[in-house]
Amino acid sequence: MAIEKVDVFVTSPGRNFVVLKITTTDGVTGLGDATLNGRELAAAQYLKTIAPMLIGKNEDNIEDIWQYLYKGAYWKRGPVTMAAISAVDVALWDIKGKKLGVPVYDLLGGASRTGLLTYGHASGVDLPSLFDSIDSYLDKGFKAVRVQSALPGIPSTYGVAGSANAQTGKGEKGMRYDYEPARRTEVPVEEVWDARTYMNTLPGVFEAVRNKYGNGIALLHDCHHRLSPIQAARFGKMIEPYDLFWMEDCTPAEENQEMLRVVREHTTTPIAIGEIINSATDYLTLIKEQLLDYVRSAVTHTGGITHMKKLMDYASFYDIKSGFHGPTDVSPVGMAANLHLGLAIPNFGIQEYMRHSDETLDVFHTSYTFTDGMLHPGNKPGIGVEFDEKLAAKFPYQPAPLPVDRLLDGTVHEW
Ligand code: EZ4
Ligand code: CO
């Protein structure tokens, strides 16, 4: 009853992933996800550094191993550290579930609901292509849709399929947005951002969507850290009539949490924050002052199930809910971890879901299901994902950094 072997894989079936496999002396294996989009090799190297420290430890003692890696590193927090700790943590929960013959959500207190409301990513370069994209999600059964739109005069905007891929010629009208593998380069592509154009455009887009689809579907939107606090306050107020489920990352709050106070004072549009926050401690002010409504962290970027469970339990006392990050750069292993935790906690809100590519799903065999707009982690012991190492080896790592943003005058800005 000890950890015998720790393997780290970097594979690129459609996009880059960092996979951790822990094997015990009884031959039980567990999987973890340490994918850090654009900085994958740093997370893989961190795992290789801590791998020898895990050998011989009792795999049952998840909390103790978590504390050993977190406090024992001396250097706490940070995306690379927390992604690596997350991978170890999820792999250990996977092992515990397999040893006991139960799905991980059972170990977390059992199912609190029958399925997880999920949202897909719709986008358009104009209203007709946006409507096509929304229709394609509604046809698949989605009850909630994220809406992103191109901006007039701006060649390429975050979250918009046609525009994101325009520079590589890989764009498909009305199809999904995915930054990687559209851009496999060593040096990031640069994009342009203009808040005035954005604030002048988006309210009209939401109005057009509500006029066409009515109030029955949940609409979400990602501002992707780009507005100043006062711009975000004004934007939230402007879009109140369109009843958004949330506006996400309206202003960068990961460094200065107090920036959200001014937004909160001015708008009732719900606020989701935190896909790049990597520690529960970075949420303490946000939760205590009720400056957010949805926690955006992914289990894989925020210390794993152990740490996220604590964070969500604390959030529950303020009626703050989950909205875990679920883009394709969270691997199927990480996605499954999100789903097990989401199914168990009382304060689940919504789960983001971008289906992985067929290439990715050939390497990762998942058992989670999508029915009528709801995800379920499945009932296999552990987290329920298998990893085909042989096939993974056929997809070597390829550099693919995220884009860099500049304002019209060339100033570097949040992407
Ligand atoms: O930009 O996953 O809400 N989703 C997002 C994502 C992130 C990417 C970064 O790795 O903001 O699209
Ligand atoms: Co986001």
Side-chain angles (χ1 to χ4, degrees), residues 285-345:
T285 303
L286 295 177
I287 293 173
K288 194 165 186 209
E289 294 190 22
Q290 302 183 67
L291 299 178
L292 84 173
D293 300 282
Y294 296 93
V295 169
R296 276 294 283 155
S297 278
V299 165
T300 51
H301 295 136
T302 319
I305 290 168
T306 299
H307 199 53
M308 284 290 283
K309 175 83 163 64
K310 290 175 186 166
L311 169 60
M312 291 316 301
D313 284 345
Y314 177 49
S316 75
F317 298 115
Y318 296 86
D319 205 13
I320 292 166
K321 297 187 167 64
S322 69
F324 300 153
H325 199 203
T328 46
D329 46 290
V330 169
S331 89
V333 173
M335 192 64 192
N338 277 341
L339 299 181
H340 283 280
L341 183 59
L343 195 70
I345 56 175

Side-chain angles (χ1 to χ4, degrees), residues 213 224 271 290 388:
Y213 295 94
H224 224 257
I271 293 176
Q290 302 183 67
D388 185 337

Side-chain angles (χ1 to χ4, degrees), residues 1-327:
M1 292 238 295
I3 294 172
E4 188 173 78
K5 205 160 164 273
V6 177
D7 297 296
V8 182
F9 306 88
V10 181
T11 177
S12 197
R15 65 174 313 132
N16 294 314
F17 296 108
V18 180
V19 182
L20 175 73
K21 184 175 118 182
I22 295 181
T23 309
T24 69
T25 46
D26 311 336
V28 182
T29 59
L31 295 173
D33 172 20
T35 307
L36 196 56
N37 203 359
R39 298 292 186 271
E40 295 87 358
L41 298 185
Q45 194 55 45
Y46 195 105
L47 281 173
K48 286 177 189 165
T49 305
I50 61 175
M53 307 173 196
L54 296 171
I55 308 293
K57 289 210 163 30
N58 183 342
E59 73 275 11
D60 292 339
N61 299 338
I62 301 177
E63 181 70 41
D64 181 66
I65 292 176
W66 197 97
Q67 298 294 340
Y68 179 93
L69 293 176
Y70 185 77
K71 292 181 180 160
Y74 187 58
W75 310 108
K76 291 177 181 172
R77 310 192 296 174
V80 178
T81 302
M82 297 307 281
I85 294 178
S86 301
V88 174
D89 185 75
V90 169
L92 294 176
W93 281 103
D94 192 20
I95 288 172
K96 196 181 276 296
K98 286 179 183 169
K99 282 172 70 171
L100 298 172
V102 294
V104 166
Y105 72 77
D106 238 347
L107 301 172
L108 303 174
S112 289
R113 55 195 56 78
T114 53
L116 304 174
L117 176 68
T118 180
Y119 72 92
H121 284 194
S123 67
V125 291
D126 49 26
L127 286 178
S129 64
L130 175 61
F131 292 160
D132 283 353
S133 176
I134 294 174
D135 288 341
S136 77
Y137 283 97
L138 298 181
D139 290 348
K140 289 185 191 105
F142 281 89
K143 310 276 186 284
V145 183
R146 188 183 89 160
V147 170
Q148 304 293 132
S149 167
L151 303 177
I154 307 279
S156 158
T157 307
Y158 165 78
V160 182
S163 90
N165 298 333
Q167 295 175 13
T168 63
K170 283 190 185 171
E172 294 169 83
K173 184 172 174 277
M175 294 306 291
R176 52 189 285 136
Y177 133 82
D178 232 342
Y179 265 92
E180 206 237 326
R183 296 163 173 207
R184 289 180 183 265
T185 55
E186 283 191 319
V187 178
V189 170
E190 297 196 5
E191 295 183 342
V192 178
W193 169 251
D194 181 48
R196 177 171 288 277
T197 309
Y198 173 82
M199 305 241 317
N200 285 338
T201 306
L202 266 292
V205 171
F206 297 137
E207 184 181 17
V209 172
R210 276 292 178 220
N211 284 343
K212 184 166 164 64
Y213 295 94
N215 292 324
I217 55 169
L219 299 179
L220 299 86
H221 177 70
D222 194 346
C223 308
H224 224 257
H225 326 269
R226 291 173 185 196
L227 300 175
S228 70
I230 198 68
Q231 286 170 337
R234 181 169 146 76
F235 184 71
K237 206 162 155 179
M238 285 162 82
I239 64 175
E240 274 172 20
Y242 314 116
D243 182 25
L244 263 68
F245 186 98
W246 76 34
M247 62 172 179
E248 175 183 343
D249 290 324
C250 56
T251 198
E254 53 281 344
E255 287 166 335
N256 181 356
Q257 303 181 5
E258 295 171 13
M259 279 165 63
L260 275 179
R261 282 188 196 140
V262 65
V263 183
R264 206 47 152 176
E265 273 166 21
H266 291 286
T267 180
T268 56
T269 296
I271 293 176
I273 281 276
E275 70 183 44
I276 65 171
I277 298 181
N278 50 63
S279 158
T281 50
D282 291 327
Y283 278 100
L284 296 182
T285 303
L286 295 177
I287 293 173
K288 194 165 186 209
E289 294 190 22
Q290 302 183 67
L291 299 178
L292 84 173
D293 300 282
Y294 296 93
V295 169
R296 276 294 283 155
S297 278
V299 165
T300 51
H301 295 136
T302 319
I305 290 168
T306 299
H307 199 53
M308 284 290 283
K309 175 83 163 64
K310 290 175 186 166
L311 169 60
M312 291 316 301
D313 284 345
Y314 177 49
S316 75
F317 298 115
Y318 296 86
D319 205 13
I320 292 166
K321 297 187 167 64
S322 69
F324 300 153
H325 199 203

